[in-house]
Amino acid sequence: MNNRLTSFTRAGLRFDVVDSGPIDGPVVVALHGFPQTASSLSELTALLNARGYRTLAPNQRGYSPGARPRGRFAYRVSELADDVVALIREIDRGPVHLVGHDWGAMVAWSLAGARPDLIRTLVTVSVPHPGAFVRSLVSSDQLARSYYMGLFQLPVLPERLMLARPDLMDRALAGTGMTPDAIARVHSEILDTGALTGALNWYRALPFAARRAMSAPVRVPVTHIWSTGDTALGRRGAELTERHVTGDYRLAVIDGASHWLPEERPHELADIIVERIESVPR
């Protein structure tokens, strides 16, 4: 497919896509996390575009206005991964290079484990392999770091509180290292657009995650990136991730950076991504 992609559909849902860079360049699919959209990846994708890569950054399920089904069951990790499968098939360019940050990394892990035929290389940012994350809950302070995931399981109340008292959310995000500009985008792109419930449903659907998807080994070449200032994810999960990858694996640690790496350290991320891509023959 040699045309720019602005959207794609799956199961009656329409997803918005930011398609940039050389139209015939190697394809990098970039997945955003919570509570952000593809705009959080814009600096990173621009750097990849400058190096000759075409990037496709979708606004995922719950975030795209045309892809907000009701009910938490519709937000299972398997469904989120299958949305990305539909995007890859839409461009029909063979295996792609996959990058995911935060929840986007969780989707990327699931997709790479289930469909290695579609993925040439994988770079995950912040969130470790789901099997490693589960192990870290009982072998480190990760459970305490992830307290908010339990709160997000509550129906209705979290979004009501965030909408009624956005200052509380602002302080929580600022405490994790998110910049004022990024927090402002959370307001304009998530709170003000009705995307919050869909975004929270990613957490609410976790009880429906298939055990196989959580533990499947990943056979493609992988680089996992973790930052020492990440308040949400501890080092233990990053260290355990290697046990869940059977392909070539590298762990890249970025010192002094917060959880929000695509905006805080886009140049370092771009270097690591290109290094991983260039580690395999075209």
Side-chain angles (χ1 to χ4, degrees), residues 2 38 43 63 81 84 102 112 121 129 169 187 194 204 223 234 251 261:
N2 291 319
E43 289 185 75
Y63 294 87
V84 184
D102 187 79
T121 66
H129 186 282
M169 183 195 69
H187 282 258
R204 292 169 177 152
T223 296
L251 172 62
L261 285 170

Side-chain angles (χ1 to χ4, degrees), residues 219-254:
R219 302 198 300 271
V220 304
V222 176
T223 296
H224 179 58
I225 304 171
W226 177 76
S227 47
T228 60
D230 194 325
T231 59
L233 284 308
R235 189 182 188 107
R236 184 61 175 157
E239 293 173 340
L240 290 169
T241 289
E242 184 175 13
R243 301 184 186 182
H244 299 271
V245 179
T246 60
D248 179 54
Y249 176 75
R250 302 172 187 175
L251 172 62
V253 176
I254 298 181

Side-chain angles (χ1 to χ4, degrees), residues 80-123:
L80 304 173
D82 282 346
D83 293 338
V84 184
V85 171
L87 169 60
I88 295 171
R89 286 176 172 165
E90 183 77 17
I91 59 171
D92 193 24
R93 289 278 300 275
V96 303
H97 303 284
L98 185 61
V99 177
H101 172 244
D102 187 79
W103 254 109
M106 178 69 85
V107 176
W109 282 118
S110 177
L111 177 55
R115 295 297 308 271
D117 57 306
L118 298 178
I119 310 303
R120 194 158 183 79
T121 66
L122 172 64
V123 176

Side-chain angles (χ1 to χ4, degrees), residues 137-156:
L137 291 173
V138 296
S139 60
S140 70
D141 65 348
Q142 187 58 57
L143 185 61
R145 291 173 181 259
S146 301
Y147 72 93
Y148 62 92
M149 297 175 68
L151 297 177
F152 288 170
Q153 296 298 316
L154 298 172
V156 181

Side-chain angles (χ1 to χ4, degrees), residues 125-138:
V125 186
S126 303
V127 172
H129 186 282
F133 177 78
V134 170
R135 286 173 179 239
S136 72
L137 291 173
V138 296

